[in-house]
Amino acid sequence: MDGKLLALARAEKDRQRRFALDEDERRRRIAYGRAPALRDIDTALVNLIAEFAAAALGEGRRPEDILAESMELREKKAETLVENGWPSDWLDGAWSCPKCRDTGYVDGRPCECLMKLYDKQRAKALSALLTLGDESFERFDLTYYDDTPAPGATRSARRQMETVYNICRRYAESFGDGSVNLLFRGGTGLGKTFLSACIARVVSEKGFSVVYETAVSALGAFEEQRFRGGGEADGAVRRLLECDLLILDDLGTEMVTEFTKSALYTLINTRLMRSRKTIVSTNLTMDGLERVYTPQICSRLRGEYQDVPFVGRDIRLLKKERGL
């Protein structure tokens, strides 16, 4: 799981627990004020807990006698609550999740309620990529790609993009430890970000941690860590290095300096060493990448990534021409 997203989910769970504790206190004040006998019953129940602990060590009354008295008091408490117009369990806790009492854990393991909050945070983290909310493989439209081969070409853009589509869909559906890294190459508006989003949605729904960042933002996180450091900066870099799938978009749009080249090498190489999967998308050709980045970076992109060339015309321009 993504540590940052889990921390956000736990913070929300803590907020729910504080609310429940405040609500419990409010209910007790009301109940004790209207029916003082309830305070005496609760005090007696607390004392019985201490007495039961002593009985377990062989001191005082038999444990079964203490349990019997406790049951009688609980029945009397429920009856008193109902007599005063409240539910019989009104003072049993205002938890949003009775299983874990809003701690987020049951027997040391994450509770289902915490995992639901984690899933919400994971979906929110992908919002920068899933901007339209409709990025799915079913909505990928191959008709935007020309079905006639260009002069000198052996296959049409549509046929090539059908291959690309199939690669992406299989990748998403079978994502796991054995998956490869992908290098999406091609001009603007050819569907690289859309298909990245489709993969991200499917992989995320399978329970893997997915992080989407532009190259500008990702390498900026390394710069922030270098010059400022601290928990937030360290956490941002850690997420980039440790997530199950990193989608690094628009490589080549960042300001290329010796530092950014060093940071990019660290990012790519560390993820390879840790067997973390990465999708890099760029508008640059392989020759363009080699002119901009170091041989070490390009060697890894060539040798450790499956090359996925995107072809065709800019879909944004085609939509404009068609009045869409």
Side-chain angles (χ1 to χ4, degrees), residues 254-313:
E254 77 281 4
M255 182 179 292
V256 179
T257 65
E258 290 305 311
F259 175 78
T260 58
K261 285 189 281 188
S262 173
L264 179 61
Y265 174 78
T266 297
L267 177 59
I268 289 175
N269 196 55
T270 301
R271 290 187 60 79
L272 286 172
M273 291 174 62
R274 295 180 181 178
S275 296
R276 298 290 194 261
K277 312 309 173 186
T278 309
I279 297 174
V280 174
S281 109
T282 180
N283 297 339
L284 299 175
T285 63
M286 282 307 304
D287 288 343
L289 289 169
E290 289 176 346
R291 284 195 296 270
V292 174
Y293 300 106
T294 64
Q296 292 86 350
I297 292 172
C298 294
S299 171
R300 282 155 180 77
L301 292 177
R302 279 188 179 277
E304 302 289 348
Y305 284 67
Q306 179 179 345
D307 189 26
V308 185
F310 283 62
V311 297
R313 292 183 59 199

Side-chain angles (χ1 to χ4, degrees), residues 115-146:
M115 295 312 300
K116 286 181 179 178
L117 290 174
Y118 176 81
D119 288 341
K120 286 183 179 179
Q121 291 296 336
R122 189 173 59 200
K124 194 181 296 184
L126 287 174
S127 62
L129 179 60
L130 308 179
T131 52
L132 303 177
D134 64 352
E135 295 88 348
S136 66
F137 287 110
E138 290 72 22
R139 295 182 66 87
F140 187 71
D141 191 351
L142 283 166
T143 64
Y144 284 113
Y145 303 92
D146 197 340

Side-chain angles (χ1 to χ4, degrees), residues 27-247:
R27 291 181 184 184
R28 279 195 296 271
R29 286 199 304 269
I30 295 173
Y32 293 169
R34 187 186 303 179
L38 289 168
R39 184 195 299 272
D40 297 334
I41 292 172
D42 279 345
T43 299
L45 286 170
V46 171
N47 291 336
L48 285 177
I49 292 173
E51 190 176 351
F52 186 82
L57 299 174
E59 302 174 5
R61 290 192 293 164
R62 297 185 306 165
E64 52 267 36
D65 294 336
I66 298 172
L67 287 173
E69 184 178 348
S70 176
M71 288 296 296
E72 290 177 8
L73 285 172
R74 289 184 182 281
E75 290 174 4
K76 185 177 180 182
K77 179 179 179 178
E79 291 170 1
T80 304
L81 285 167
V82 172
E83 288 170 1
N84 284 273
W86 298 304
S88 61
D89 61 352
W90 200 56
L91 294 182
D92 289 350
W95 316 112
S96 63
C97 178
K99 279 186 183 178
C100 68
R101 296 197 166 197
D102 289 339
T103 62
Y105 291 87
V106 177
D107 296 329
R109 309 186 75 168
C111 182
E112 183 179 332
C113 67
L114 180 63
M115 295 312 300
K116 286 181 179 178
L117 290 174
Y118 176 81
D119 288 341
K120 286 183 179 179
Q121 291 296 336
R122 189 173 59 200
K124 194 181 296 184
L126 287 174
S127 62
L129 179 60
L130 308 179
T131 52
L132 303 177
D134 64 352
E135 295 88 348
S136 66
F137 287 110
E138 290 72 22
R139 295 182 66 87
F140 187 71
D141 191 351
L142 283 166
T143 64
Y144 284 113
Y145 303 92
D146 197 340
D147 198 24
T148 304
T154 58
R155 64 190 327 207
S156 67
R158 185 177 300 180
R159 190 173 175 190
Q160 167 61 18
M161 290 308 298
E162 185 176 5
T163 299
V164 169
Y165 169 85
N166 289 331
I167 289 171
C168 293
R169 185 152 200 168
R170 286 196 300 269
Y171 186 86
E173 293 173 350
S174 62
F175 184 85
D177 292 339
S179 297
V180 298
N181 305 294
L182 301 178
L183 176 61
F184 288 176
R185 291 190 301 107
T188 59
L190 299 183
K192 297 189 299 297
T193 297
F194 187 93
L195 283 175
S196 294
C198 295
I199 292 172
R201 186 185 295 280
V202 173
V203 172
S204 177
E205 288 173 353
K206 289 162 71 76
F208 295 98
S209 58
V210 181
V211 172
Y212 164 82
E213 289 290 356
T214 63
V216 172
S217 178
L219 299 178
F222 278 87
E223 194 166 12
E224 183 79 8
Q225 183 192 49
R226 178 190 183 190
F227 292 107
R228 295 190 183 181
E232 189 171 341
D234 292 344
V237 170
R238 192 179 308 114
R239 288 180 70 225
L240 293 168
L241 296 176
E242 296 181 359
C243 63
D244 296 318
L245 175 63
L246 171 65
I247 297 174

